[in-house]
Amino acid sequence: MNEIAIVPLASEEELIEAFPIINQLRTHLDQEEYLELVYESGAKERYQMLGLRDNGELKAVIGFKPMITLYYGRSLWVCDLVTDKSARSKGYGDKLLTHVEQWGKKHNYESIALSSGLQRTSAHHFYEEKMDYSKVSLVFKKEF
């Protein structure tokens, strides 16, 4: 019988364990930069990382942060959501996203939002069809 648990990933050991999964989405990061960004965003922006374990084995990771903006109000922003490539289509992403939505409701947030790369059409289908999210904007970025 599968025992699924959603747990905080906060210690350096846990974050290092999560890196190979996160790196499947954030391929531009090496482990050192990843750890620096997780620690800095946690300290400055209340970024949190959760992992889904199935029988103790880490299968999926979500990173999110609370934020307040004039457009979204009090909301949660999902920064990262990735299931290990060997474990996709088993409902792990659904479970993590639902868990964060429930956390947001419990802590009096009004909404949850995320951005998804234009090429990730299967992810868009998941968000819209399975998770009942709406497309509300495009995200624009400029590097400097």
Side-chain angles (χ1 to χ4, degrees), residues 21-77:
I21 295 174
I22 285 287
N23 196 231
Q24 293 171 38
L25 179 65
R26 306 294 177 218
T27 57
H28 63 286
L29 294 176
D30 63 29
Q31 184 174 295
E32 183 179 339
E33 185 177 11
Y34 154 77
L35 288 172
E36 287 175 12
L37 291 171
V38 169
Y39 290 135
E40 184 176 357
S41 60
K44 293 181 178 178
E45 298 182 356
R46 299 186 302 154
Y47 176 84
Q48 300 175 52
M49 190 175 278
L50 303 174
L52 183 143
R53 294 189 181 280
D54 190 342
N55 289 322
E57 189 175 337
L58 191 62
K59 299 290 188 176
V61 176
I62 192 167
F64 71 98
K65 63 182 180 177
M67 65 180 203
I68 300 171
T69 67
L70 297 179
Y71 178 70
Y72 290 110
R74 297 187 80 240
S75 65
L76 299 179
W77 184 260

Side-chain angles (χ1 to χ4, degrees), residues 117-141:
L118 295 173
Q119 75 285 3
R120 300 187 68 230
T121 55
S122 62
H124 305 164
H125 179 78
F126 166 74
Y127 296 128
E128 291 179 299
E129 301 300 322
K130 179 128 177 110
M131 300 306 297
D132 201 29
Y133 281 52
S134 301
K135 283 183 190 173
V136 295
S137 68
L138 292 174
V139 176
F140 295 89
K141 177 182 176 183

Side-chain angles (χ1 to χ4, degrees), residues 78-134:
V78 176
C79 306
D80 312 288
L81 175 60
V82 60
T83 298
D84 186 75
K85 62 186 170 193
S86 68
R88 294 191 178 142
S89 299
K90 295 184 180 180
Y92 297 144
D94 180 333
K95 286 179 178 20
L96 279 173
L97 205 49
T98 298
H99 182 87
V100 171
E101 290 172 4
Q102 291 169 347
W103 185 96
K105 290 174 187 175
K106 179 181 175 183
H107 291 89
N108 299 314
Y109 288 90
E110 300 163 358
S111 64
I112 187 168
L114 54 86
S115 68
S116 180
L118 295 173
Q119 75 285 3
R120 300 187 68 230
T121 55
S122 62
H124 305 164
H125 179 78
F126 166 74
Y127 296 128
E128 291 179 299
E129 301 300 322
K130 179 128 177 110
M131 300 306 297
D132 201 29
Y133 281 52
S134 301

